[in-house]
Amino acid sequence: MNSTSNNKEYQGNQSKEELYHASGDKDAPTPKMLDEVYPGESAELKDTNQPHSTDRDADETPTDEETSHHTSSSRSSSTGSDKEDSEKKDSSLSSVPGGKKLGAVLFGHGKNGANEHNEKNSDRQHQVHGGSHTGAESINDRLNGAVKDVDTTKKRSPELVGLGMEFDHLRKELRALVGSAQKYNDSFIQAETARAEMINEICKLSKGTPLYEDIGDIQNGGSIGNINLVVIKNAKEKAIRFNKDVVQYVAEWESIVSKRVDDELKNCKRLGHDQSHYENKVDKLRQTVNKKEEAGKSVGHGKAAKLNRNEKKLENAFDAHEAAACKACALLEAVVKEGWKDLYPLVESMIAWETDRIQEETKTFSEMEETADRMKLTHKED
């Protein structure tokens, strides 16, 4: 197999959308789906830490501090609603795979600690990639270091074939990973949307019943409907974060190594053609000179000078090709043999995402259990 045989397959210029949809799904869901669960709703998320109305004894009156807090919160809610609605309409998030705009408007941070989790993940990425570098910059920096000050005196061109085959295998695996990661994120969005829609229907059924306050009243911070809004908000943020930290990272990883390796192999191929050109030219000139010498004829000064000149060009072409091969082999080894260094930040991001998802869901859904316990006390059968 020729080391450059796959150059026609990939020239390093595929769009990220093409890479993101390696699985062939052009109608991938987006976090915007979660916005459609509550069409027309613009209710503010209530802090679920606020005491539920049934938690206070009938003869217990609120403290001055609680009254002041409630009044301040109400005033802030009423005066900021217009501004908040305007900001929501103007908000625009990045595009997700397939070029679809998210257009998702994230609700204000609830009590679930999503902000804290995002800050933690940001710190992790800062540590993994080093400084303020993005994943793509870190990969490029690592590869730049691998090809810097390479010993170009070695004859490594024969190694290009084997290393090229290893790289072709790695590239296929990266492309497959882009597709599977996107599929996972799509499935996550679909599952969260289906759950939100189900809870929304339950909330509708509770309207006009004694259960409405605990289930469907989204203005009540302890209701299932309000908790569902928190879940929707968290799900959208998690989908966007997974797309950025996992899907886009792998797509950029594949794009960077493919372009750099393909460019180096193309350069080697071009220099190899130059070498072959002078090898053929020198071979013909030598045959001409040998025939004249065998015939006892004098070799003219012009022919001898031309042969010497082209032999020097052949030597330079050979050295240039081998130097390029040394650089290409060093790059291929950095990509293939040390690719685990690019895999590590990806795995760390994935683990952080899964860990934060479980922690957020555990914290949020535990509030539904509190609502269920409250309903048992309030609506239990006699």
Side-chain angles (χ1 to χ4, degrees), residues 123-194:
D123 291 340
R124 289 190 188 100
Q125 296 305 313
H126 185 84
Q127 295 169 3
V128 170
H129 297 308
S132 59
H133 281 9
T134 64
E137 289 174 340
S138 294
I139 294 172
N140 266 321
D141 287 348
R142 189 179 72 78
L143 297 182
N144 287 337
V147 298
K148 184 180 180 181
D149 301 327
V150 172
D151 182 2
T152 58
T153 61
K154 298 179 180 179
K155 297 179 181 180
R156 301 198 63 185
S157 55
E159 301 176 46
L160 287 174
V161 175
L163 288 172
M165 292 177 65
E166 291 185 57
F167 171 71
D168 287 337
H169 180 69
L170 172 66
R171 172 156 53 188
K172 289 178 182 178
E173 290 185 333
L174 287 175
R175 289 177 174 176
L177 179 56
V178 172
S180 60
Q182 182 60 60
K183 185 177 180 181
Y184 177 66
N185 203 30
D186 292 347
S187 299
F188 170 75
I189 295 171
Q190 289 174 330
E192 293 296 313
T193 301

Side-chain angles (χ1 to χ4, degrees), residues 34-311:
L34 292 162
D35 284 325
E36 298 167 355
V37 177
Y38 285 94
E41 294 284 4
S42 60
E44 178 187 359
L45 283 179
K46 300 298 181 181
D47 186 348
T48 49
N49 274 330
Q50 293 179 6
H52 188 269
S53 58
T54 57
D55 292 340
R56 188 186 298 280
D57 294 336
D59 58 347
E60 184 178 353
T61 58
T63 64
D64 292 340
E65 182 179 354
E66 289 173 329
T67 303
S68 174
H69 174 74
H70 176 75
T71 303
S72 175
S73 299
S74 300
R75 187 184 303 113
S76 174
S77 175
S78 61
T79 57
S81 60
D82 292 339
K83 180 180 179 182
E84 184 178 351
D85 290 342
S86 175
E87 290 175 349
K88 286 180 180 179
K89 290 178 182 179
D90 293 340
S91 295
S92 177
L93 301 175
S94 327
S95 61
V96 293
K100 292 184 178 180
K101 293 291 181 182
L102 289 177
V105 179
L106 302 182
F107 292 99
H109 289 289
K111 59 161 286 203
N112 51 25
N115 214 9
E116 178 183 352
H117 290 308
N118 288 337
E119 290 175 358
K120 286 181 179 178
N121 184 64
S122 177
D123 291 340
R124 289 190 188 100
Q125 296 305 313
H126 185 84
Q127 295 169 3
V128 170
H129 297 308
S132 59
H133 281 9
T134 64
E137 289 174 340
S138 294
I139 294 172
N140 266 321
D141 287 348
R142 189 179 72 78
L143 297 182
N144 287 337
V147 298
K148 184 180 180 181
D149 301 327
V150 172
D151 182 2
T152 58
T153 61
K154 298 179 180 179
K155 297 179 181 180
R156 301 198 63 185
S157 55
E159 301 176 46
L160 287 174
V161 175
L163 288 172
M165 292 177 65
E166 291 185 57
F167 171 71
D168 287 337
H169 180 69
L170 172 66
R171 172 156 53 188
K172 289 178 182 178
E173 290 185 333
L174 287 175
R175 289 177 174 176
L177 179 56
V178 172
S180 60
Q182 182 60 60
K183 185 177 180 181
Y184 177 66
N185 203 30
D186 292 347
S187 299
F188 170 75
I189 295 171
Q190 289 174 330
E192 293 296 313
T193 301
R195 178 168 60 187
E197 289 174 344
M198 176 190 69
I199 295 177
N200 188 34
E201 294 303 321
I202 292 174
C203 291
K204 290 178 182 178
L205 288 173
S206 72
K207 194 170 184 178
T209 73
L211 300 176
Y212 179 70
E213 184 178 9
D214 288 312
I215 297 178
D217 184 6
I218 60 175
Q219 297 294 335
N220 175 18
S223 72
I224 293 176
N226 184 271
I227 295 172
N228 194 37
L229 291 179
V230 176
V231 173
I232 293 171
K233 167 188 173 291
N234 291 343
K236 287 185 292 187
E237 290 180 340
K238 286 197 286 283
I240 294 169
R241 174 179 156 193
F242 186 89
N243 184 69
K244 176 180 178 294
D245 293 349
V246 179
V247 181
Q248 288 188 24
Y249 177 88
V250 183
E252 289 179 349
W253 180 6
E254 193 276 344
S255 178
I256 288 169
V257 298
S258 287
K259 187 176 188 312
R260 293 192 61 152
V261 168
D262 286 343
D263 285 348
E264 289 295 335
L265 293 181
K266 286 177 187 176
N267 186 47
C268 285
K269 187 175 182 180
R270 179 182 62 80
L271 293 173
H273 286 161
D274 291 344
Q275 179 180 334
S276 296
H277 168 73
Y278 286 111
E279 284 176 345
N280 293 332
K281 195 170 182 179
V282 167
D283 185 56
K284 290 179 181 179
L285 288 171
R286 281 176 178 166
Q287 288 180 14
T288 301
V289 170
N290 289 337
K291 285 181 180 179
K292 287 189 175 184
E293 288 178 343
E294 288 174 359
K297 296 180 180 180
S298 175
V299 178
H301 176 73
K303 284 288 184 182
K306 188 175 182 179
L307 176 59
N308 290 334
R309 186 169 60 251
N310 280 278
E311 284 178 336

